[in-house]
Amino acid sequence: MVGQTTNNANECPFSGTAPEAQGCPISDPAAMAREFDAFQGPYQLDPAEALRWSRDQLPVFYAPKLGYWVVSRYDDIKSVFRDAILFSPRNVLEKITPATQEAQEILKSYDYGMARTMVNEDEPAHMVRRRALLDHFMPEKLEQQQDMVRRLTREKMDAFIDSGRVDLIDGMLYEVPLLVALHFLGVPEDEIATLKTFTLAHSVNTWGKPSDQKQIEVAHDVGRFWQYAGEIIEKMRAQPEGTGWMHHTIRMNAEIPEVVTDSYVHSMMMAIIVAAHETTSLASANMFKTLLAHRDAWNDICADPTLIPNAVEECLRYAGSTVAWRRQTTAPTTLNGVDLPEGAKLLIVQASGNQDERHFEGGDTLDIYRDNAIDHLTFGYGAHQCMGKNIGRMEMRIFLEEVTRRLPHLRLADQEFVYMPNTSFRGPDELWVEWDPAQNPERADASATRLYRSFSVGPPARRDIARKVRIAEVRREADGILGLTIEDAQRRALPKWSAGSHIELCVGDYDRKYSLCGSPDDDSYSVAILREDLGRGGSRHIHDTIHAGAEIRMRGPSNLFRLDETAPHVVLVAGGIGITPILAMADRLKTLGRSYELHYAGRSRSTMAFLDRVTRDHGAVLSLYPRDERRRMDLPALVAGLAEGAQIYACGPERLLSALETLTDDLPEGTFHFEHFSSNAAGIDPDNEQAFQAELTDSGLVLDVAADTTLLDAIMAAGIDVACDCREGLCGSCEVAVIEGEIDHRDVVLTRAERAESKRMMTCCSRAKGGARIKLA
Ligand code: HEM
Ligand code: FES
């Protein structure tokens, strides 16, 4: 938890302090907090944009109109999701607008008794139940459902494909997810129209702000829905051999009634239809609306369907259907410097976290090539992360694949979008689209209806997430260093990036990461690549083969080396080719008018890239240390002379970084930031590895990690999503907590002290020492 440290989140944190560097600050964040209204105004128009001021200035604030603490930054939301004990989910299905007396009476008359299900159950009851009921959600089980989803999608499309105009929601996106949900659950399909009224009423009842009059109508529908859910269960109990998840749940209710309780079964029957259906319908509608409004992205998908899985993830990030979730503190605590009392109710706004620039480069723009789109929080995170995420993904992929293939010329019709006012679910009521049926590809070639691309169930494959780029220029930056200018293959502007960002170039069989060092205002990118004759071959290959005009693929940009632009003073230290991210940081600090100094060491001037540029642009604060001129950086003096609050950012050879790490050991956390050129964790050599076992205490699973597998892959294969970005021990995203066992740490993320403590490990590269069994949280 980092960031501002005000204890009173209702007071302006900036009185007497310098405003943050990002854009013009709202002059009175306290007033914004007081006025925050989740049911109308900017939040209903665009929740992420409506909370931009909060992300920048007051990331945790109390909203008196709602009676909730609002949390808007990615890291804070994730840390709340991560700790389901301190931040209990018990209020997830609570009526956010309390029921009137009359509505309560009506609900009572139906014996309405919505209780804990899964999503709002506390530990330890929740995890035992989740484990008992998880099996049906495993990717290999879901593969069998793909044909059914495609058949239903096609039937719906066949009905409107020649019409030229349709409300996609009415025509397909409402009913298919409902039918898929019913099929998955094993619930009879005969009452779709009734269910439509009921699920809407349940959403308004739980997350909306109905008027007193509307509460009466809603209470009747919710009461009937409750009774209807009970009747369905009775019908299902009468079919002990029935298939589907609810049948399985009912059987588990008989087998382990203390885990899968009666009250759970009834409440879940009602909640799951909304959980499985509304979420997916709305997310699919948002996806089509978003992509049709971003024509380049739509056209790219039509031309290359392999982009679909990541495009779906990016749409879930950029315009997800669950925009905010709830939690309640079980003890007094502090979140990003704000004191929260026991029982504090939190509205954690995933839509805002999903566009947080601190985690997603250019977070407020859609980029279907974004390589960390999958980090979005739309499915939640941690112990309660959506069990049905792979069903939702599967449906959205099939919708997008069928529609882009059969109607690539589809466009949004002119219309005003209407949304149901509520805190948590978002998607338009209608989505009108148009096209010229004469242009339908299947009229010219009937195979367009039949031939399709399918995707395996689960998260997107990383190899498919890469954009096509062209090398615009190759130049010599210094001895042994090539400079490349990279542009989009279709000459579109490449995404915006921030100082410290890197990209990954895919050249031949090599995928290699390089820091960006041009100007963030350019539409193209610049990198500098040192030829490493003793390296793993990537830089040699690029030096030997790359030429202007070459078309290659590229991932990113991502930023794992972020600059704190509010530090009172920044010391930048570069060794050799490590100048690339450091130069971008120096440029940024200069543009912002911040206080900084730049130290740049190298073998000799002829091997030091960008010497002219650094001298021209940063001469006043620059110290150069060419070794052949016997100039050496005095690191102890540099660290000893650090002003209070100053931060060091360094990139360069291992010995430089480890010397600085040792020297800054006793300084406050957050003083020293570094980026390695490469990691020591380059792949596994099965001949020299030992298999081991990892017990996951949250889920009770025991995983066998073979000698040729990483722990990360073993966890993913068990159907559990672990965030991962670099897969080579560099980024820290795949960290898990270690409860027991000795770890062979191979990452460069943990400090020496943390490694010695062995309370965390990076699953992508680190292993159990000596093949022993380890226990993880
Ligand atoms: C939980 C979103 C589809 C079943 C959740 C949560 C969210 C969510 C935000 C709470 C996560 C947390 O507290 O960390 C979505 C979205 C979907 C989707 C955006 C579609 C795009 C589905 C489907 C099903 C499903 C299709 C079932 C067929 C569940 C269940 C839970 C859950 C059972 C409770 C998990 C637990 O508490 O352990 N979902 N969901 N969801 N979802 Fe989904
Ligand atoms: Fe980056 Fe493991 S994925 S450290």
Side-chain angles (χ1 to χ4, degrees):
M1 283 189 253
V2 289
Q4 44 112 163
T5 53
T6 173
N7 272 338
N8 184 348
N10 279 328
E11 276 175 14
C12 172
F14 290 109
S15 39
T17 57
E20 288 213 16
Q22 279 144 337
C24 171
I26 298 273
S27 55
D28 192 356
M32 297 294 284
R34 262 193 318 272
E35 292 309 313
F36 177 77
D37 189 334
F39 297 104
Q40 54 186 334
Y43 181 84
Q44 283 302 319
L45 286 176
D46 181 345
E49 190 52 38
L51 285 170
R52 185 187 290 273
W53 68 271
S54 160
R55 288 197 295 282
D56 287 347
Q57 300 182 52
L58 202 55
V60 181
F61 68 88
Y62 185 70
K65 288 189 176 174
L66 192 64
Y68 273 70
W69 295 81
V70 178
V71 184
S72 61
R73 276 195 192 163
Y74 182 89
D75 283 349
D76 295 336
I77 297 171
K78 203 162 172 175
S79 65
V80 170
F81 270 131
R82 192 178 262 137
D83 190 343
I85 310 275
L86 182 56
F87 299 102
S88 157
R90 65 177 62 141
N91 62 341
V92 160
L93 297 180
E94 193 176 281
K95 269 172 73 61
I96 202 158
T97 305
T100 58
Q101 190 58 39
E102 200 175 349
Q104 286 181 32
E105 294 299 327
I106 295 170
L107 287 170
K108 218 189 266 171
S109 71
Y110 288 94
D111 282 336
Y112 177 71
M114 184 68 157
R116 299 295 179 96
T117 60
M118 182 85 80
V119 77
N120 60 348
E121 183 59 283
D122 276 318
E123 303 305 346
H126 162 260
M127 200 39 91
V128 210
R129 191 176 291 162
R130 182 173 162 117
R131 268 160 47 207
L133 300 174
L134 191 62
D135 202 37
H136 278 58
F137 291 94
M138 286 293 148
E140 57 283 6
K141 289 263 168 71
L142 297 176
E143 291 288 354
Q144 302 153 9
Q145 315 254 345
Q146 297 231 51
D147 288 348
M148 178 259 304
V149 178
R150 195 168 291 276
R151 179 178 50 76
L152 290 170
T153 309
R154 287 176 167 205
E155 278 169 19
K156 292 290 167 199
M157 279 194 79
D158 288 346
F160 64 67
I161 192 125
D162 291 320
S163 69
R165 186 177 156 88
V166 73
D167 166 13
L168 259 191
I169 298 174
D170 190 43
M172 182 167 92
L173 301 179
Y174 185 82
E175 214 166 295
V176 178
L178 181 53
L179 290 169
V180 172
L182 295 181
H183 192 273
F184 173 79
L185 300 173
V187 171
E189 289 174 9
D190 41 10
E191 300 245 23
I192 286 197
T194 326
L195 278 172
K196 187 168 183 171
T197 330
F198 286 168
T199 54
L200 196 67
H202 177 50
S203 298
V204 175
N205 187 45
T206 315
W207 295 282
K209 194 179 183 181
S211 63
D212 288 1
Q213 189 51 36
K214 184 83 183 161
Q215 288 227 20
I216 296 174
E217 192 189 313
V218 166
H220 279 294
D221 279 338
V222 169
R224 281 196 284 265
F225 191 4
W226 177 254
Q227 293 201 333
Y228 177 69
E231 285 159 24
I232 297 178
I233 292 166
E234 286 320 308
K235 273 193 216 164
M236 293 175 88
R237 281 195 205 279
Q239 303 163 3
E241 301 303 316
T243 54
W245 188 65
M246 272 318 284
H247 277 291
H248 173 64
T249 301
I250 289 167
R251 281 193 288 272
M252 297 309 269
N253 172 233
E255 262 177 54
I256 38 171
E258 68 290 356
V259 173
V260 181
T261 59
D262 286 347
S263 117
Y264 161 79
V265 176
H266 195 156
S267 299
M268 193 55 169
M269 185 70 244
M270 185 162 158
I272 189 70
I273 293 175
V274 178
H277 166 226
E278 289 277 296
T279 50
T280 315
S281 279
L282 296 175
S284 306
N286 290 341
M287 172 178 74
F288 281 105
K289 176 172 177 284
T290 302
L291 291 174
L292 289 169
H294 291 80
R295 200 72 207 183
D296 283 346
W298 178 267
N299 290 342
D300 284 5
I301 295 167
C302 292
D304 180 2
T306 61
L307 299 172
I308 286 172
N310 201 53
V312 165
E313 251 23 76
E314 174 66 352
C315 289
L316 284 165
R317 182 197 71 84
Y318 180 79
S321 51
T322 44
V323 294
W325 218 239
R326 285 183 281 170
R327 289 290 189 259
Q328 187 162 16
T329 55
T330 54
T333 186
T334 305
L335 182 63
N336 201 346
V338 175
D339 289 338
L340 301 174
E342 178 180 342
K345 293 181 174 183
L346 270 54
L347 186 76
I348 44 177
V349 187
Q350 294 128 294
S352 170
N354 282 346
Q355 295 203 11
D356 188 345
E357 302 276 341
R358 292 154 199 80
H359 190 85
F360 297 103
E361 284 293 280
D364 59 358
T365 52
L366 179 89
D367 178 8
I368 58 169
Y369 301 94
R370 187 182 295 281
D371 66 348
N372 66 347
I374 197 178
D375 289 358
H376 67 76
L377 299 165
T378 304
F379 290 130
Y381 185 75
H384 288 267
Q385 195 189 41
C386 177
M387 286 164 81
K389 62 184 185 286
N390 287 323
I391 305 180
R393 281 175 171 148
M394 177 220 303
E395 291 183 56
M396 292 172 74
R397 290 172 187 179
I398 291 176
F399 294 154
L400 190 53
E401 199 279 332
E402 286 287 333
V403 176
T404 47
R405 182 167 41 80
R406 294 181 69 186
L407 292 173
H409 47 310
L410 194 72
R411 57 184 184 273
L412 278 179
D414 279 343
Q415 65 204 294
E416 285 218 354
F417 294 103
V418 177
Y419 294 84
M420 179 187 88
N422 78 99
T423 52
S424 298
F425 287 91
R426 186 169 173 81
D429 287 353
E430 295 179 1
L431 180 63
W432 286 93
V433 288
E434 297 171 338
W435 67 99
D436 174 6
Q439 306 294 320
N440 290 0
E442 57 209 54
R443 293 207 178 174
D445 174 6
S447 68
T449 340
R450 292 190 304 273
L451 298 176
Y452 60 85
R453 180 180 284 271
S454 65
F455 305 97
S456 53
V457 176
R462 191 169 153 74
R463 65 170 182 278
D464 291 334
I465 311 170
R467 75 186 83 228
K468 290 187 188 119
V469 292
R470 179 181 303 107
I471 304 298
E473 196 195 350
V474 181
R475 55 192 173 271
R476 186 188 159 279
E477 292 289 6
D479 288 354
I481 298 178
L482 277 188
L484 304 181
T485 303
I486 300 160
E487 61 184 16
D488 180 80
Q490 296 182 54
R491 305 268 158 90
R492 301 188 293 226
L494 288 169
K496 294 288 167 214
W497 57 281
S498 55
S501 291
H502 69 266
I503 52 170
E504 186 169 34
L505 297 182
C506 315
V507 187
D509 292 337
Y510 299 96
D511 293 356
R512 291 290 181 269
K513 296 190 173 82
Y514 299 102
S515 295
L516 291 172
C517 55
S519 161
D521 297 329
D522 290 348
D523 289 344
S524 57
Y525 291 164
S526 293
V527 294
I529 301 175
L530 170 72
R531 183 185 181 104
E532 289 177 279
D533 283 321
L534 300 178
R536 287 180 283 147
S539 66
R540 240 176 13 247
H541 180 76
I542 295 179
H543 272 247
D544 290 345
T545 61
I546 210 78
H547 57 87
E551 293 219 341
I552 58 169
R553 307 216 317 150
M554 180 192 93
R555 295 197 186 97
S558 306
N559 197 338
L560 308 174
F561 190 33
R562 266 179 206 281
L563 180 63
D564 175 357
E565 297 179 346
T566 63
H569 181 73
V570 174
V571 177
L572 299 171
V573 179
I577 193 64
I579 187 64
T580 47
I582 295 297
L583 180 53
M585 289 181 172
D587 289 348
R588 175 71 181 158
L589 291 166
K590 185 174 177 190
T591 306
L592 295 173
R594 310 292 303 185
S595 166
Y596 70 102
E597 61 195 86
L598 172 56
H599 301 264
Y600 181 14
R603 263 191 298 132
S604 62
R605 286 177 190 262
S606 69
T607 62
M608 291 166 73
F610 307 117
L611 265 193
D612 289 350
R613 201 171 127 195
V614 284
T615 312
R616 184 192 68 209
D617 296 342
H618 305 286
V621 293
L622 175 69
S623 305
L624 290 177
Y625 309 91
R627 211 179 323 141
D628 64 347
E629 295 174 18
R630 305 204 176 286
R631 297 212 52 202
R632 290 260 173 181
M633 229 187 273
D634 185 350
L635 294 179
L638 199 142
V639 173
L642 266 190
E644 200 185 325
Q647 298 183 15
I648 305 177
Y649 289 77
C651 183
E654 189 57 46
R655 61 181 182 284
L656 171 79
L657 301 181
S658 66
L660 276 170
E661 200 182 354
T662 308
L663 287 165
T664 53
D665 244 5
D666 297 334
L667 296 180
E669 215 184 303
T671 303
F672 178 44
H673 310 260
F674 55 94
E675 187 165 70
H676 287 257
F677 294 158
S678 61
S679 88
N680 306 325
I684 328 173
D685 172 6
D687 294 339
N688 290 313
E689 300 293 359
Q690 278 183 293
F692 64 99
Q693 282 193 323
E695 182 182 334
L696 310 183
T697 45
D698 269 359
S699 59
L701 290 173
V702 177
L703 305 177
D704 288 313
V705 186
D708 62 352
T709 312
T710 62
L711 174 56
L712 175 70
D713 286 334
I715 296 177
M716 296 245 218
I720 300 167
D721 275 359
V722 183
C724 64
D725 187 342
C726 71
R727 285 182 166 267
E728 49 179 327
L730 293 171
C731 75
S733 61
C734 67
E735 178 184 313
V736 295
V738 179
I739 294 178
E740 206 177 287
E742 271 200 88
I743 307 301
D744 176 4
H745 293 285
R746 302 176 183 187
D747 61 278
V748 290
V749 177
L750 298 179
T751 61
R752 260 180 245 151
E754 284 169 334
R755 261 175 242 168
E757 222 182 29
S758 247
K759 290 211 169 126
R760 322 158 180 204
M761 74 183 288
M762 299 302 139
T763 54
C764 64
C765 57
S766 301
R767 305 178 72 82
K769 255 191 194 154
R773 180 161 164 163
I774 52 173
K775 247 193 199 179
L776 305 174

